[in-house]
Amino acid sequence: MAEQESLEFGKADFVLMDAVTMPEFMANLRLRFEKGRIYTFIGEVVVSMNPYKNLNIYGRDMIEQYKGRELYERPPHLFAIADAAYKAMKRRSKDTCIVISGESGAGKTEASKYIMQYIAAITNPGQRAEVERVKNILLKSNCVLEAFGNAKTNRNDNSSRFGKYMDINFDFKGDPIGGHINNYLLEKLLQGGSEQLLRSLHLQKDASAYSYICPGAQLKCSINDGAEFKAVADAMKVIGFKQEEIQTVYKIVAAILHLGNLKFCVDGDTPIIENSKVVSAIAELLSTRAELVEKALLFRTVATGRDVIDKQHTEQEATYGRDAFAKAIYERLFCWIVTHINDVIEVKNYDTTVHGKNTVIGVLDIYGFEIFDNNSFEQFCINYCNEKLQQLFIQLVLKQEQEEYQREGIPWKHIDYFNNQVIVDLVEQQHKGIIAILDDACMNVGKVTDEMFLDALNNKLGKHAHFSSRKLCATDKTLEFDRDFRIKHYAGDVIYSVSGFIDKNKDTLFQDFKRLMYNSSNPVLKMMWPEGKLSITEVTKRPLTAATLFKNSMIALVDNLTLKEPYYVRCIKPNDKKSPQLFDEERCRHQVEYLGLLENVRVRRAGFAYRQSYEKFLHRYKMISEFTWPNHDLPSDKDAVRKLIECHGFQHDVAYGRTKLFIRTPRTLFTLEELHAKMLVRIVLFLQKVWRGTLARLRYRRTRAALTIARHYRRHKVRAYLRELLRRFRDVRLLPDRGRSIAWPSPPKVLHRFQEALQDIYHRWRAAELIRSVPPEVLPQLRAKVAAMELLKGHRADIGLQRAWKGNYIALKPERPQSSGSFTPVANELKRKDKYMSILFSCHVRKVNRFNKVEDRAIFITDRHLYKMDPMRQYKVMKTIPLYNLVGLSVSNGKDQLVVFHTKDNKDLIVCLFSNDPSSDSRIGELVGVLASHFKREKRSLHVSVTNPVQCSLHGRKCTVSVETKINQSQPDFTKHRSGFVLCVPGN
């Protein structure tokens, strides 16, 4: 068993109370709230208290604790009810819904967000991209809809002014693949927008400057408007709104704010707009002309037969028209946003025959019951909605439960509960309800006032037990004459003022405004007002009133919910001061009473937690009993179920109905589920064992046959390859090129490495044969060329491999006749003195030193030293560098003859090789090759670098030598540069 809460936190399930009384219920509710336990069960219903503070109970670790667990295994939490709804949907392929109810400020919106967050977290373990996209859009849609559908009120910083029912569609694997949102908008940016955005919308940051939101601007708020604005903008981009569509949304909201600031006055008999500059701003934002906006606000176009006239508004009519226009714009905007989101998340191309059954979890988050000091048409609709939901709760949880027990013949003690069907009928009954009376009043010809509507209510409903007014109860001074009426709701008595009922129900919007919007150059606005294309003379059907539309949507919602298996979250507001410590006993008691929680506890304690038809029960659990698996031979399914229950010892916790089995406690059901899960594993393992054995035997036979064929085939391929190899290379010793031109046969895969090794042996043999044919005196030059090619090939274009390498160029062919005669004696003297064995290289050069002095010199390299000589002074030795002090060479990547000798003491020698005959001979390759070959024989390393510019060091000072080509340059020469030297070489 998983961890359970200690009794110091109270009873985690109200069903476990010692006595079902209101005092004990309230004491347990208070204790859990004060101990920070905001969730409590009533069976499968979660009671949620608004904590008015952030709690660290919704993270990933908490999600993992509830994932796949049964309700009784973990302490009460929203995640538990969300997981129960998800499992019911996935296990039984049954549509479910989570109904979140409670009054305004009780935490319904936050509860719906946490439920969505949980469902998103536990689905799509395979991280399918399309499912992740749908999940992200479903989560982000909450942010966008709250931004445009919620408002700051006296009681709640984030009060829902719209109802939202979201269906989430799941595939057969239980991953979300789409959804659909139904909105029930009832009521129709500043702090978060940048200065640039506000300027483009002609707005300022001070919210109190705008009449429509001025009252809300005075309220303290816990919401960071700047952060919320950015979150909404980001969410709209994720959902798929284009940038121009987002900008249109901003413009529409700004236009509504400006509309609220329009002021009308009368000049004689003519109404005019005082602040006409605002009209220009509105026209710009709505992409139309200012004169058209002004005309629509001040005049109404009326068709009388074939004639069309412009009727001037009074100041009162102009104000009413402006407000109706603003509300209509906002309603169209909100519906357009919802439609856009639905288009994105709609399930497309889903074929149940291919993908399996598409199941649904619905989440209902709708405005809560409201009682204000002044309750008008909006509160009437909200409270009617809550009456319908309470009726659904009574029907599904209380009434339906008792009726089913009676129908199935289960012994049952009847529990009294308040059935609010009488209140629902008072509001929605055809021809007799308040909505029908209101519609009749709105359709009457002539001037109809709110007082006349109240008189009609008094005449037709005067004897109704749940309706009263001052006329019907003259002594009740809480009601005003000709203004107020009272309805005794399940949540308490509410006094409504009829002021504005007629106008709000008609929701009349002059056709002029519709045509104005339809003719806007903004395509989004034009799309929102399709009826604007109608001519003023066209007769259209009278539209349904606001109350009737709302009633129809509520009836459709309830019909939808009744088709699903419901799970309930009942939200309670602990106090009106938004305090995390205060528990207002009277306030909470009132909510417990009108939510029917105590009756819910009584029904739970007296009833059964689970019921299922015998056929379906057997279908799921028959594998846990030897008497029913795989099929039973008993007279009926009922007898088979009884045998199954008795063999597991559950007979004292069940009742047998006419067509269904009833299980009293959830623990029995969960034990059955555990047995089912364990047996299912054994059955699956058995089937897997049999099937895997069959597959293994098939695979073995196929593999054995394949291996036999492959073995013989490989032998054939190997033999064929070896025969072809012997044929091609049979006379290779007799060929002049020792078989270089012979193409190797393609080997079988198994002999790839064998052929590589064989080719390596062949190349070594061929190289030995070629070297054996080379005269001994040519071998040193050959080794030097090979060394030069290894170091310079691919780095320099000309290495000089095609010519003979002479080595001692000064002695071989004097390039400076006037000074060449004295070189041989100097070389002989150095041989006697330094005991060198061979001359590696000699050449005239042009060198530059650290004093920027350029001079002609000669270099003489033996197997022991590098000598720098002065040709003009009988090749006097100017500097001697032992070869063991030489660490590397640097040459450029061009055709120039630049060489830098790098030494251990950082006294590098910078020279350019000099050649007159032929002048284009490159001796760089020869110099690098002979030195590299010598160092290799001595088993020492010589680093050769090919770069331009060349890095070097003159007595510890870092410098660079770069090479440049000049057209008129006759011979190479060094010049000073700020970073070192430049070798200028002839370009022709």
Side-chain angles (χ1 to χ4, degrees):
M1 291 293 291
E3 172 196 355
Q4 293 294 311
E5 287 185 323
S6 167
L7 286 177
E8 67 173 299
F9 302 112
K11 303 285 178 58
D13 193 328
F14 285 112
V15 174
L16 303 176
M17 292 191 304
D18 296 328
V20 185
T21 63
M22 181 60 76
E24 184 162 341
F25 189 100
M26 294 304 299
N28 192 58
L29 190 66
R30 175 192 284 273
L31 176 61
R32 291 186 63 78
F33 175 74
E34 291 174 349
K35 293 288 186 178
R37 298 303 191 264
I38 63 171
Y39 299 119
T40 314
F41 285 137
I42 302 178
E44 293 185 352
V45 175
V46 171
V47 178
S48 170
M49 297 282 284
N50 190 338
Y52 288 120
K53 63 181 178 182
N54 292 324
L55 298 176
N56 187 26
I57 57 172
Y58 304 104
R60 185 73 213 185
D61 56 337
M62 189 65 71
I63 290 171
E64 290 299 324
Q65 291 181 35
Y66 284 87
K67 182 179 178 181
R69 308 296 283 270
E70 302 297 346
L71 273 175
Y72 77 96
E73 290 187 279
R74 298 294 304 160
H77 200 289
L78 285 174
F79 292 167
I81 206 77
D83 195 77
Y86 179 74
K87 285 203 299 286
M89 177 274 299
K90 192 173 179 181
R91 284 177 179 173
R92 304 198 295 272
S93 296
K94 186 172 180 62
D95 292 345
T96 62
C97 65
I98 301 173
V99 179
I100 307 169
S101 57
E103 69 175 59
S104 178
K108 299 184 302 301
T109 299
E110 289 302 307
S112 72
K113 288 195 285 190
Y114 287 130
I115 288 170
M116 294 283 292
Q117 170 192 323
Y118 180 82
I119 292 172
I122 65 171
T123 52
N124 194 28
Q127 294 294 303
R128 287 187 290 163
E130 176 59 19
V131 176
E132 285 300 306
R133 182 191 73 84
V134 170
K135 281 165 51 174
N136 200 19
I137 293 173
L138 288 172
L139 292 174
K140 294 293 185 183
S141 66
N142 274 327
C143 176
V144 176
L145 294 176
E146 278 187 43
F148 293 94
N150 289 20
K152 182 165 53 176
T153 67
N154 292 324
R155 295 186 174 188
N156 189 357
D157 285 342
N158 194 32
S159 177
S160 296
R161 312 321 293 163
F162 78 107
K164 179 185 69 178
Y165 175 74
M166 177 183 287
D167 269 336
I168 308 170
N169 296 83
F170 295 83
D171 62 12
F172 73 100
K173 293 186 290 187
D175 291 335
I177 54 173
H180 186 83
I181 297 170
N182 289 326
N183 67 293
Y184 309 95
L185 186 65
L186 188 66
E187 299 182 21
K188 318 308 185 219
L189 130 104
L190 296 173
Q191 296 299 321
S194 65
E195 293 290 348
Q196 181 181 356
L197 175 62
L198 293 178
R199 278 198 303 273
S200 69
L201 301 175
H202 307 287
L203 296 175
Q204 53 182 295
K205 278 190 176 290
D206 183 10
S208 61
Y210 301 96
S211 300
Y212 281 155
I213 58 174
C214 184
Q218 312 303 322
L219 298 175
K220 289 184 179 179
C221 182
S222 59
I223 296 174
N224 184 334
D225 288 333
E228 290 290 318
F229 180 85
K230 185 179 185 305
V232 171
D234 293 342
M236 292 181 78
K237 291 176 185 174
V238 170
I239 291 170
F241 286 89
K242 298 175 183 175
Q243 186 57 45
E244 55 268 26
E245 291 175 333
I246 296 174
Q247 197 64 29
T248 296
V249 171
Y250 295 155
K251 288 180 178 180
I252 292 173
V253 175
I256 292 169
L257 292 176
H258 288 304
L259 275 170
N261 282 4
L262 285 177
K263 295 179 182 177
F264 300 98
C265 62
V266 178
D267 183 9
D269 292 333
T270 306
I272 60 172
I273 299 173
E274 286 185 6
N275 41 354
S276 56
K277 288 185 179 179
V278 179
V279 176
S280 301
I282 294 170
E284 179 187 331
L285 294 168
L286 298 180
S287 302
T288 186
R289 299 204 309 272
E291 58 269 22
L292 296 179
V293 174
E294 186 170 357
K295 182 181 177 184
L297 288 165
L298 296 178
F299 295 89
R300 178 184 177 189
T301 305
V302 180
T304 57
R306 295 183 180 179
D307 297 329
V308 176
I309 61 172
D310 291 332
K311 181 185 176 184
Q312 206 166 49
H313 285 319
T314 64
E315 183 180 352
Q316 183 179 0
E317 289 172 338
T319 303
Y320 169 80
R322 175 202 65 184
D323 294 341
F325 183 38
K327 290 177 185 177
I329 293 176
Y330 202 82
E331 182 187 12
R332 299 291 176 103
L333 170 64
F334 192 83
C335 291
W336 174 79
I337 290 173
V338 172
T339 302
H340 192 291
I341 295 173
N342 281 334
D343 289 343
V344 175
I345 63 176
E346 180 186 6
V347 180
K348 302 176 180 69
N349 303 322
Y350 193 91
D351 186 349
T352 55
T353 59
V354 177
H355 303 106
K357 184 180 178 183
N358 176 344
T359 48
V360 169
I361 292 181
V363 180
L364 177 65
D365 167 24
I366 205 159
Y367 19 66
F369 197 89
E370 290 188 344
I371 305 176
F372 294 149
D373 293 335
N374 181 27
N375 300 291
S376 187
F377 180 76
E378 292 81 10
Q379 282 67 47
F380 173 75
C381 291
I382 283 178
N383 296 341
Y384 160 63
C385 165
N386 280 267
E387 290 285 358
K388 289 290 289 184
L389 293 179
Q390 179 66 9
Q391 180 201 26
L392 177 68
F393 179 76
I394 290 170
Q395 179 183 350
L396 295 180
V397 178
L398 304 178
K399 181 181 177 182
Q400 207 173 70
E401 182 124 353
Q402 297 192 115
E403 288 177 350
E404 183 173 31
Y405 294 147
Q406 294 169 1
R407 189 169 57 249
E408 288 288 327
I410 301 296
W412 174 259
K413 180 183 177 182
H414 182 78
I415 295 173
D416 291 328
Y417 57 86
F418 173 67
N419 189 342
N420 72 329
Q421 181 65 47
V422 63
I423 303 174
V424 173
D425 290 342
L426 170 65
V427 175
E428 71 175 20
Q429 191 174 15
Q430 291 286 341
H431 310 300
K432 296 179 182 180
I434 294 175
I435 291 177
I437 296 170
L438 178 60
D439 285 353
D440 288 343
C442 291
M443 287 188 286
N444 286 338
V445 179
K447 181 69 174 177
V448 180
T449 64
D450 295 319
E451 291 76 13
M452 295 167 66
F453 162 60
L454 183 56
D455 283 340
L457 289 178
N458 290 330
N459 294 333
K460 294 183 179 181
L461 302 175
K463 295 181 180 180
H464 200 288
H466 292 271
F467 177 86
S468 63
S469 69
R470 186 65 182 273
K471 183 177 180 181
L472 300 174
C473 186
T475 59
D476 190 349
K477 296 184 179 180
T478 59
L479 300 169
E480 288 286 335
F481 278 111
D482 297 331
R483 191 192 73 180
D484 298 340
F485 67 92
R486 180 191 288 117
I487 296 179
K488 292 183 179 180
H489 287 283
Y490 77 96
D493 294 358
V494 182
I495 297 174
Y496 297 99
S497 169
V498 296
S499 300
F501 261 63
I502 296 293
D503 287 340
K504 290 175 181 178
N505 188 46
K506 286 181 177 178
D507 204 15
T508 305
L509 182 68
F510 301 138
Q511 187 72 16
D512 304 71
F513 291 120
K514 297 177 183 178
R515 284 195 298 276
L516 177 69
M517 290 294 91
Y518 180 77
N519 292 318
S520 168
S521 59
N522 187 314
V524 176
L525 272 169
K526 187 182 184 74
M527 182 175 60
M528 290 181 189
W529 301 84
E531 68 272 40
K533 66 181 178 181
L534 296 175
S535 168
I536 189 63
T537 57
E538 288 187 55
V539 178
T540 59
K541 185 179 178 181
R542 181 190 294 271
L544 295 176
T545 62
T548 298
L549 287 171
F550 190 77
K551 180 189 76 173
N552 293 343
S553 67
M554 287 301 102
I555 293 172
L557 171 64
V558 170
D559 289 344
N560 188 2
L561 294 176
T562 54
L563 298 176
K564 296 177 172 61
E565 183 173 315
Y567 292 83
Y568 285 92
V569 179
R570 309 293 259 171
C571 298
I572 293 178
K573 186 176 182 179
N575 59 78
D576 288 325
K577 297 182 179 179
K578 303 174 188 174
S579 168
Q581 286 87 30
L582 180 61
F583 182 88
D584 187 331
E585 180 93 14
E586 196 57 39
R587 191 83 176 76
C588 293
R589 181 193 301 272
H590 177 64
Q591 294 171 76
V592 169
E593 287 175 347
Y594 76 64
L595 288 172
L597 299 184
L598 210 57
E599 290 87 347
N600 193 184
V601 175
R602 291 194 182 104
V603 171
R604 259 315 149 178
R605 283 172 68 107
F608 295 84
Y610 175 81
R611 73 287 322 264
Q612 187 60 271
S613 66
Y614 295 121
E615 180 187 0
K616 290 184 178 179
F617 184 87
L618 270 181
H619 181 73
R620 182 162 185 82
Y621 298 111
K622 63 181 179 178
M623 73 277 296
I624 68 174
S625 171
E626 60 181 327
F627 299 105
T628 55
W629 177 257
N631 294 298
H632 70 85
D633 55 1
L634 295 167
S636 67
D637 286 347
K638 182 176 181 178
D639 294 326
V641 169
R642 189 187 300 272
K643 191 71 175 176
L644 185 153
I645 291 294
E646 288 174 354
C647 76
H648 287 286
F650 297 140
Q651 61 270 24
H652 301 299
D653 199 41
V654 302
Y656 300 97
R658 294 187 178 95
T659 62
K660 292 181 179 180
L661 171 72
F662 290 78
I663 299 176
R664 186 177 300 279
T665 63
R667 193 174 302 277
T668 297
L669 177 64
F670 300 146
T671 304
L672 285 169
E673 277 295 319
E674 289 171 0
L675 292 170
H676 170 267
K678 290 177 182 177
M679 187 55 67
L680 201 61
V681 171
R682 292 175 61 183
I683 292 172
V684 169
L685 287 175
F686 174 75
L687 293 174
Q688 286 178 340
K689 181 183 71 173
V690 173
W691 181 237
R692 283 172 179 167
T694 303
L695 290 179
R697 285 187 287 274
L698 286 173
R699 274 198 301 270
Y700 171 72
R701 286 196 288 268
R702 289 172 183 167
T703 303
R704 187 175 62 181
L707 287 173
T708 303
I709 295 170
R711 185 169 63 251
H712 285 83
Y713 181 71
R714 279 199 300 271
R715 286 176 182 173
H716 162 72
K717 294 292 288 184
V718 168
R719 291 192 185 106
Y721 168 75
L722 292 175
R723 283 196 296 268
E724 180 63 18
L725 196 65
L726 288 172
R727 186 188 68 78
R728 294 189 185 189
F729 285 89
R730 180 175 291 113
D731 300 322
V732 69
R733 290 179 179 275
L734 305 177
L735 298 176
D737 63 352
R738 300 295 192 273
R740 182 181 181 184
S741 58
I742 296 176
W744 286 71
S746 178
K749 189 175 181 180
V750 71
L751 292 181
H752 273 168
R753 295 185 65 180
F754 169 77
Q755 178 164 297
E756 290 172 1
L758 196 62
Q759 285 175 334
D760 184 60
I761 294 170
Y762 165 75
H763 291 317
R764 289 177 181 274
W765 171 81
R766 184 171 172 276
E769 288 293 309
L770 290 175
I771 291 172
R772 198 176 290 120
S773 65
V774 175
E777 63 273 12
V778 180
L779 277 177
Q781 184 178 145
L782 183 62
R783 290 193 181 95
K785 287 187 176 182
V786 170
M789 185 174 67
E790 289 175 348
L791 292 170
L792 300 179
K793 189 173 182 180
H795 300 294
R796 280 183 67 93
D798 183 15
I799 306 177
L801 297 176
Q802 305 303 320
R803 63 178 183 83
W805 287 1
K806 308 299 183 183
N808 192 359
Y809 288 96
I810 298 177
L812 182 65
K813 189 171 184 180
E815 293 175 327
R816 295 180 182 271
Q818 70 274 22
S819 58
S820 63
S822 58
F823 174 72
T824 302
V826 172
N828 292 335
E829 177 61 21
L830 288 175
K831 183 174 183 179
R832 183 191 65 77
K833 176 184 173 185
D834 292 337
K835 305 293 189 295
Y836 68 79
M837 301 299 294
S838 61
I839 298 172
L840 301 181
F841 187 81
S842 69
C843 180
H844 287 97
V845 299
R846 180 156 291 165
K847 71 97 180 179
V848 63
N849 62 17
R850 59 182 173 137
F851 303 110
N852 308 326
K853 187 174 181 181
V854 181
E855 295 176 317
D856 287 343
R857 293 286 187 264
I859 58 171
F860 178 47
I861 304 175
T862 70
D863 56 359
R864 301 189 58 150
H865 296 87
L866 184 154
Y867 302 98
K868 182 179 72 174
M869 301 177 170
D870 187 350
M872 305 307 296
R873 298 169 64 184
Q874 289 76 41
Y875 290 95
K876 179 182 178 181
V877 176
M878 307 299 293
K879 184 175 182 179
T880 302
I881 302 174
L883 286 190
Y884 63 76
N885 200 31
L886 189 65
V887 295
L889 298 175
S890 288
V891 299
S892 75
N893 53 10
K895 293 185 178 181
D896 55 272
Q897 302 296 296
L898 173 66
V899 183
V900 177
F901 296 90
H902 301 291
T903 62
K904 292 180 180 179
D905 54 4
N906 292 326
K907 296 179 181 179
D908 296 350
L909 177 62
I910 305 171
V911 301
C912 176
L913 305 186
F914 190 88
S915 172
N916 281 337
D917 189 19
S919 60
S920 60
D921 268 1
S922 173
R923 295 177 182 173
I924 292 294
E926 183 176 357
L927 173 60
V928 171
V930 295
L931 277 174
S933 178
H934 173 72
F935 271 68
K936 187 175 182 180
R937 286 197 304 273
E938 296 286 327
K939 295 183 172 53
R940 291 160 51 199
S941 62
L942 178 71
H943 178 70
V944 177
S945 175
V946 183
T947 60
N948 185 21
V950 174
Q951 305 292 327
C952 58
S953 177
L954 294 178
H955 286 265
R957 182 172 63 88
K958 300 292 183 182
C959 63
T960 61
V961 183
S962 57
V963 180
E964 292 182 1
T965 302
K966 291 193 175 180
I967 300 298
N968 298 322
Q969 188 82 16
S970 60
Q971 58 184 358
D973 199 5
F974 289 98
T975 60
K976 182 70 178 77
H977 189 264
R978 64 169 176 254
S979 61
F981 305 98
V982 175
L983 174 61
C984 300
V985 297
N988 46 9

